[in-house]
Each structure stands twice: as structure tokens, then as C-alpha cells.
Amino acid sequence: MTEETHGSSSGGVPELPTFFDLLPIDKHAEIFGLTLHQLLPIVMSMMIIALLGIFSMIATSNLKKIPGGVQAILELLVEALDGFVKSILGKMSDKFLPFVGTLFLYILIMNLIGQIPLLHSPTTNYNTTLALTLLVFVATHYYGLKHNGPVKYVKHMMGEPRWMSPMLFPLHIISEFLTRPLSLSMRLYGNLMGGHTVLSIFIGLSPLLLGLIPIPIHFPFVLLDLLLASLQAFIFAFLASFYIAGSIGEKHL
Amino acid sequence: MIYFACVAIAIGMLAFASFGCGIGQGIAVHGASTSVARQPELFGKIQMLMFIGLGFIEALAIYSLVLSFILLGKLPDAASVLKVLSH
């Protein structure tokens, strides 16, 4: 690789430089027992949480009957998300709109912020996506138990034809406790990590015009990455609401 | 040495995951486009459905990409291999 991409410690995968490389600190320094490479996603997540919170506070500070500017944008977003969650969760949508909407917005900003130079997507790290997935996992089973009770919950696990239960019960257990969390987290992480790795490889390979100006041959991959990032955020929110709807059951929706 | 050669061959074979993924995506887009040609007023709904499906299919090829990155970390770099071979 060129000097532009410094080889990271995670299996020789090239990464773009971030604002951590500009800070006047030792590259191998440890803060709170974490290396800088491990600390970066956490700092970026904190920044995004602060950004979203401040934006919401500014938008909802003085609410008007006729919205203007920031409030109008936020109302459009909330209405679109409300319609989307209503189409899946029906009557229960008011209860789960904050959860699913927050997931969608947070993941969308996390995916798209990697396109800004010197910033880094936290979702390119597996720990972030696994934490988000565990939230969905706990919510799914908690509300499933709360709305159906333990007996009906186990009955739902048994499957429809009763004589096939011995075969279906392990299958349901494996599907709900292993496959779903794993695929949900790996889908988001793999898409984002793959996209950003392709970007960094192409940026490292870009030829120089007159030995000074780099030619941006990675530009088509930027467009692909923008599409992919928004699509994956949407799919994550869709699947979270879909899993919750499936565990609550058809009768309550 | 044979172990590392097998790992390298495995990384190359992981690329065949995109073979099936491409066929699946082609079938999905074909179905979406024919249904839009039959009923153009449902374009928005069909487009959303198609993109969700494409995202699911895309994930299958991405799993193999992640696996290949994991396996690439197991390979030694060229300098250490040359050092062993020169002895």
C-alpha cells in the first residue's frame, strides 16, 4: 500500500487516515486500556449521539403551528418513519416508533459519516453492530414474553403441526437465538466494512496527475457506498420491526 | 507451507459466492421489471420490495467477503516467506 493508507492491526485490512492521525499523540498510546484503533469507533459514536441530540433539541426548541426550516425536515422524517412502522406493526406502532426510528436514524448517520474525509464509520467495527443487534434481540424476546406469556411463547416455538414439534423446536431455537442475531449483525458490518475497504484500496491505488494531483478513480464506489449505506440502515430497521412483530403475534397487531 | 497454500486457495474459492449471488439478483430484478411493466402504478411499492430483496441477496456475497478478510489475516507477509525460503 502507499503512504496514504496506513496498514491497520486488524488482519492487514487497509484503512483511511482519520482525525486521530492528526492529533499529536503516540500511535501506540493506550487510553483507558484501549489502543487508539479500538477507541476510534467509540469516540465517533459519542460524537454522532451528541450531534443527533443537539439537532433534535434545536429543532424542537420552539415548536410552531406552521413549521419552518429545521422543524419541517424533522416532521417529514418522523411522518415517513411513522408510516413505515405502521405498515408492519399496525396498532402497536406508537409504542415501537421511538425504538425503530432511533435505530434507523442512528445507523444511517453512522454509515454516511464515513464519506466525510478524516471521519470514520463506527459500523465498520463488528462490536458496534453486535451491540445494536443485541438490543433488537433483547427487545424481541422481552415483548414476546410480555404480550403472550411464557406458555404461549413456548407453544409458538413448537410450530404448527404438533406431531412435527420434536423436529421444529430445535430448528426454531437455532433460528431465533443464533441465526437471526448473527445474520443481522454480520450483514450490516460486512456491507460497511467491505465498502470502506474497497474505497481505501482504490484511494491507495489512485494515479497522480503531473505527480501532484491524485485522480479520484474511486468515485463510482462512493456512489455505490452511499446507496449501500442507506439501504442497509433501512433493512436493519425493517428487520428489527419485523422480528418484533413476529414475536408479538398477529392477534395483537 | 502447504497449509498456507491451502488457505490462499480457499480465499480464491470464496469469490465463487458472487456467482450465485449475481444469478439471484438477476432473477429478482427481472421479476420486479416485468411486474412494473404490467402495473406501472405500483412502481414505488415494487421498487422498495426489490431493494429489500437485493439487500438480502447482497449480504450473502458479503459474508464470503468478510470470511476472506479473516483468512487474509492468517497469511504471512511476503518478507517472512522469502526469509524462510532463502535458508
Side-chain angles (χ1 to χ4, degrees):
Chain A
M1 299 312 296
T2 57
E3 286 178 17
E4 243 176 320
T5 56
H6 62 91
S8 68
S9 57
S10 63
V13 175
E15 282 191 0
L16 291 176
T18 56
F19 68 96
F20 266 44
D21 298 333
L22 301 180
L23 296 178
I25 38 179
D26 184 26
K27 266 192 181 176
H28 305 286
E30 292 204 353
I31 302 162
F32 307 123
L34 295 172
T35 59
L36 289 185
H37 192 259
Q38 292 163 327
L39 198 74
L40 180 63
I42 301 172
V43 174
M44 284 303 299
S45 302
M46 285 176 181
M47 276 171 56
I48 291 161
I49 291 167
L51 192 140
L52 277 173
I54 290 167
F55 176 75
S56 310
M57 277 163 72
I58 288 171
T60 57
S61 56
N62 52 344
L63 292 171
K64 297 195 191 84
K65 239 330 188 235
I66 299 155
V70 193
Q71 194 192 335
I73 297 170
L74 210 64
E75 281 193 17
L76 274 175
L77 262 175
V78 171
E79 268 183 41
L81 280 171
D82 191 32
F84 161 65
V85 179
K86 256 197 179 66
S87 68
I88 299 169
L89 280 161
K91 275 189 301 184
M92 303 285 294
S93 70
D94 288 347
K95 196 172 178 178
F96 292 108
L97 174 64
F99 179 60
V100 177
T102 307
L103 268 181
F104 173 72
L105 284 181
Y106 182 47
I107 294 173
L108 183 70
I109 302 293
M110 275 204 293
N111 292 349
L112 291 179
I113 208 159
Q115 298 300 325
I116 303 169
L118 295 184
L119 291 180
H120 173 86
S121 284
T123 31
T124 54
N125 194 326
Y126 187 55
N127 302 308
T128 313
T129 60
L130 188 63
L132 290 166
T133 307
L134 284 178
L135 274 179
V136 175
F137 176 75
V138 169
T140 302
H141 291 289
Y142 173 74
Y143 286 108
L145 279 168
K146 193 180 166 186
H147 282 275
N148 295 322
V151 179
K152 267 192 183 175
Y153 186 71
V154 175
K155 263 190 186 173
H156 163 74
M157 288 275 206
M158 287 287 191
E160 203 27 68
R162 281 281 170 254
W163 55 273
M164 281 184 82
S165 294
M167 204 173 72
L168 284 176
F169 186 67
L171 211 63
H172 266 281
I173 291 286
I174 289 170
S175 146
E176 297 221 354
F177 286 82
L178 284 175
T179 318
R180 277 179 175 189
L182 194 70
S183 73
L184 195 61
S185 54
M186 281 301 260
R187 182 177 300 118
L188 184 59
Y189 158 73
N191 271 289
L192 266 294
M193 208 262 295
H196 284 266
T197 307
V198 167
L199 275 182
S200 44
I201 287 172
F202 270 84
I203 289 171
L205 291 176
S206 58
L208 294 177
L209 191 72
L210 306 175
L212 278 177
I213 311 147
I215 302 164
I217 55 169
H218 67 282
F219 183 67
F221 295 100
V222 172
L223 298 180
L224 183 76
D225 212 48
L226 289 178
L227 172 77
L228 196 132
S230 39
L231 186 68
Q232 288 308 313
F234 180 75
I235 284 179
F236 195 96
F238 171 80
L239 277 180
S241 48
F242 185 76
Y243 289 162
I244 290 170
S247 81
I248 285 174
E250 297 277 322
K251 291 197 292 291
H252 296 278
L253 300 182
Chain B
M1 266 305 161
I2 292 175
Y3 165 75
F4 288 131
C6 289
V7 171
I9 291 169
I11 294 170
M13 282 179 69
L14 276 170
F16 280 101
S18 31
F19 185 72
C21 185
I23 293 173
Q25 286 198 332
I27 292 170
V29 177
H30 164 255
S33 51
T34 46
S35 51
V36 167
R38 282 171 189 269
Q39 287 191 318
E41 66 270 13
L42 284 180
F43 179 71
K45 277 186 183 179
I46 291 169
Q47 193 190 33
M48 198 189 86
L49 205 65
M50 183 190 81
F51 272 126
I52 289 173
L54 285 188
F56 284 142
I57 301 167
E58 189 77 29
L60 297 175
I62 296 287
Y63 294 153
S64 69
L65 178 77
V66 173
L67 274 177
S68 68
F69 279 136
I70 291 170
L71 285 177
L72 275 175
K74 302 259 184 278
L75 286 177
D77 54 337
S80 58
V81 173
L82 288 175
K83 199 183 290 179
V84 171
L85 285 178
S86 64
H87 280 300

